[in-house]
């Protein structure tokens, strides 16, 4: 390749799109203001690294001859994390742990070390904190092991060499945005750097069969490359979500080559780090107000787990010409649709009303089965009817006001009964084939449309 200098190369921090000129809106992913300038010399870029690896290192093998027995997994000691990973960390895999700064990524890494440090040699490489800072945090979390090695380094080649010479059983990189590949001119944290450093880690970890967990910060202003550009490279992408103000943290897999992406893990941040929440419904429903209108409990499936969550609705007279709508934890457009259905099919008028919706606990509900609870919370607030405390509702609301069936109805009802609910509004079409366990003591109210559901509230 010619040794020409390309100036003014613009790279999108969201999707990695490259362009010779600047755009306000990325032509590839449509995000605004994400194109950042990078200077790159073509002769010095990653091609030198890849060229050396042209030799064929493996030959095709018939699929019947491949065995899966050698897939080895390490359990992290945190059941919630293991479930999201699909049953522990797979040997030789590269896992990206993304999330907003301060959400608890470094904390969870150290906590994994407390369990795995007993059996594995772990190399924890930090480019963000000093050894002393890490030690202080480890002391607070009660992590201490002779098998846990801390290194503060940002040069990715030095890191790759260290991994090779130390040959640990597990590597942790905190964070990828601080890592630097000297061959590239761009600054650490830029898309090119982040991508190239991850590629180097990927090759190192695959060739030595060492699992590696990489932390990536998500930054909304686009100044630092979001881990989105890395999603294709790594084996699994986990996102740590939650309100920083709230103590709950939800770990979600958005990609997993070794398991399902439906599972979530729930944690709570306390004085001694993150603790697992085995019964999220109980936590989410604690402190529920009694005898007030504008709240209804929904049941959503997160992977194989039913989770109960409280939806609150507040409907007030609009002081301005335009009615305001606001939604936290629930899709805004879907909420507007439900308001329209309630107006058209039930005669509840929201057009001159402000409507606010909030899902408690920082949970995000994106399953249509939660429609009915939201609609009931809104009607409850509008008409000031109290939805009884021991009532739960689930079902998808269609545009004609019909309540459509949802999957795993029996599991949802059982969970509601287990948590002490006595009445459950379910879609009529779910009634057929609903087999409940014997000890499930709950009254089932099957409804065909939204009108029937509202009248089941009484009042
Ligand atoms: P941290 O793991 O440093 O976040 P990240 O690596 O994702 O940037 O978590 C930092 C936050 O967690 C910080 O605001 C303090 C809080 N925290 C606790 O509340 N309790 C604890 O025991 C620890 C270690 C942190
Ligand atoms: Mg950190």
């Amino acid at each position: 390749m010619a040794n020409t200098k390309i100036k003014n190369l613009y790279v999108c921090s969201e999707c990695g799109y490259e362009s010779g000129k600047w755009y306000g809106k990325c032509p590839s992913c449509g995000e605004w203001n994400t194109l950042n300038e990078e200077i790159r010399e073509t002769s010095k870029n990653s091609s030198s690294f890849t060229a050396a690896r042209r030799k064929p290192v493996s030959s095709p093998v018939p699929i019947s001859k491949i065995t899966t027995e050698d897939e080895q997994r390490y359990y992290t000691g945190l059941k919630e994390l293991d479930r999201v990973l699909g049953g522990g960390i797979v040997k030789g895999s590269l896992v990206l742990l993304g999330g907003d700064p301060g959400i608890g990524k470094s904390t969870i890494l150290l906590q994994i070390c407390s369990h795995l440090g007993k059996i594995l040699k772990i190399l924890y490489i930090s480019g963000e904190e000093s050894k002393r800072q890490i030690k202080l945090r480890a002391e607070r979390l009660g992590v201490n092991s002779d098998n846990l090695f801390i290194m503060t380094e940002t040069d990715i080649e030095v890191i790759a060499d260290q991994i090779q010479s130390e040959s640990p059983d597990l590597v942790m990189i905190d964070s990828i945005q601080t890592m630097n590949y000297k061959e590239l001119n761009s600054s650490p944290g830029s898309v090119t750097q982040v991508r190239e450093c991850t590629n180097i880690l990927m090759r190192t970890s695959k060739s030595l069969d060492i699992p590696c967990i990489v932390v990536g910060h998500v930054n909304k202003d686009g100044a630092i490359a979001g881990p989105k550009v890395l999603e294709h490279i790594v084996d699994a992408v986990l996102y740590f979500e939650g309100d920083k103000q709230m103590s709950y943290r939800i770990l979600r897999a958005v990609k997993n080559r070794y398991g399902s992406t439906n599972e979530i893990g729930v944690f709570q941040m306390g004085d001694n780090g993150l603790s697992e929440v085995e019964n999220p419904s109980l936590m989410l429903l604690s402190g529920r107000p009694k005898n007030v209108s504008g709240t209804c409990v929904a049941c959503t499936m997160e992977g194989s787990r039913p989770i109960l969550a409280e939806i609150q609705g507040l409907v007030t007279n609009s002081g301005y010409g335009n009615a305001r709508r606001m939604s936290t934890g629930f899709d805004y457009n879907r909420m507007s649709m439900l308001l329209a259905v309630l107006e058209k099919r039930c005669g509840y008028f929201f057009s001159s009303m402000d409507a606010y919706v909030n899902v408690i606990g920082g949970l995000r509900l994106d399953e249509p089965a939660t429609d009915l609870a939201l609609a009931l919370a809104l009607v409850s607030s509008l008409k000031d009817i109290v939805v009884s405390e021991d009532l739960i509702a689930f079902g998808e609301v269609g545009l004609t006001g019909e309540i459509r069936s949802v999957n795993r109805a029996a599991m949802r009802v059982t969970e509601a009964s287990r948590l002490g609910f006595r009445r459950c509004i379910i879609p009529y079409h779910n009634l057929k084939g609903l087999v409940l366990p014997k000890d499930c003591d709950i009254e089932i109210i099957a409804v065909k449309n939204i009108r029937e559901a509202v009248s089941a509230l009484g009042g």
Side-chain angles (χ1 to χ4, degrees), residues 100-107 137 140-141 217 269-273:
D100 293 336
I103 201 85
K105 300 179 295 294
S106 310
T107 308
R137 188 199 300 251
R140 185 151 150 209
L141 297 173
H217 293 294
M269 181 66 94
D271 289 339
N272 297 318

Side-chain angles (χ1 to χ4, degrees), residues 322-394:
N322 268 352
R324 277 195 75 181
R325 271 103 180 74
M326 222 176 86
S327 156
T328 314
F330 196 90
D331 183 55
Y332 179 85
N333 292 330
R334 202 150 180 101
M335 168 203 175
S336 305
M337 184 205 90
L338 289 170
L339 286 171
V341 170
L342 284 171
E343 192 153 327
K344 183 82 180 169
R345 308 291 168 191
C346 301
Y348 294 120
F349 288 100
F350 290 93
S351 34
S352 59
M353 302 295 225
D354 290 344
Y356 305 91
V357 163
N358 182 29
V359 181
I360 302 295
L363 202 70
R364 208 183 58 218
L365 300 179
D366 42 20
E367 209 197 5
T370 55
D371 287 353
L372 184 56
L374 183 107
L376 293 180
L378 287 168
V379 172
S380 157
S381 177
L382 180 79
K383 292 283 153 193
D384 213 9
I385 312 168
V386 177
V387 179
S388 142
E389 259 170 69
D390 62 358
L391 183 134
I392 178 170
F394 62 83

Side-chain angles (χ1 to χ4, degrees), residues 13 23 56 63 83 110 123 135 161 169 180 210 213 219 252 270 276 281 291 301 306 338 346-347 349 379 455 457:
S13 59
Y23 293 100
I63 192 161
R83 195 183 39 242
L110 269 181
L123 183 58
K135 173 75 184 172
D161 289 345
D169 301 307
N180 185 28
I210 298 173
I213 306 179
N219 212 334
R252 202 183 283 277
E276 297 176 78
S281 306
N291 255 328
M301 295 299 297
L338 289 170
C346 301
F349 288 100
V379 172
S455 54
L457 295 181

